[in-house]
């Protein structure tokens, strides 16, 4: 009986750990949703994963999508995506292109666009971090 209670208790603890440790998942379908999801993920104390596929060109901001979380944000592409602004990174971003492409069709400050901008705060406390894997980046 004690052994059964121990096994059940252990299973409950493991299930709770999976919930606590697990990353938050997002699947935005347009640029405004992507921006809102990134802004929410920036406020969380956990890693976040974004499943992306399609056209995100309905959103455009001079600063771009701002990744400020020091927790890891991971973009997993399930198809080619189009944006009209860059990703401004002070936090940590991982992009798994999975053989697909990101295209930024908007130039910033002239004919040349930018896909990613890595920055740091003035006190050097936060530094942008970017990892990109397996695919193509196309900048207008």
């Amino acid at each position: 009986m004690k052994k059964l209670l121990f096994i059940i208790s252990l299973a409950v603890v493991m299930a709770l750990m999976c919930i606590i440790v697990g990353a938050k998942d997002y699947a935005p379908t347009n640029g405004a949703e992507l921006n809102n999801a990134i802004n929410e993920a920036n406020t969380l104390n956990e890693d976040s994963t974004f499943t992306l596929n399609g056209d995100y060109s309905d959103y455009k901001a001079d600063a771009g999508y701002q990744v400020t979380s020091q927790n890891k944000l991971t973009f997993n592409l399930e198809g080619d995506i189009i944006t009209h602004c860059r990703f401004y990174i002070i936090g940590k971003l991982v992009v798994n292109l999975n053989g697909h492409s990101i295209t930024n069709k908007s130039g910033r400050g002239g004919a040349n666009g930018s896909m990613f901008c890595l920055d740091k705060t003035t006190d050097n406390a936060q530094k942008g971090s970017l990892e990109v894997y397996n695919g193509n980046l196309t900048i207008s």
Side-chain angles (χ1 to χ4, degrees), residues 25-73:
D25 295 321
Y26 298 94
T29 59
N30 60 50
E33 287 180 10
L34 176 58
N35 186 58
N36 291 338
I38 290 171
N39 288 337
E40 179 182 308
N42 286 334
T43 67
L44 301 177
N45 289 322
E46 62 185 22
D47 294 345
S48 299
T49 301
F50 299 78
T51 301
L52 304 176
N53 185 6
D55 191 341
Y56 297 89
S57 62
D58 65 303
Y59 174 84
K60 183 177 180 180
D62 285 340
Y65 298 103
Q66 296 191 33
V67 176
T68 60
S69 174
Q70 288 304 295
N71 295 302
K72 182 172 62 174
L73 275 59

Side-chain angles (χ1 to χ4, degrees), residues 100-118:
H100 301 291
S101 67
I102 298 176
T103 301
N104 181 359
K105 291 197 169 190
S106 179
R108 175 175 160 70
N112 297 321
S114 63
M115 184 70 65
F116 303 104
C117 176
L118 276 76

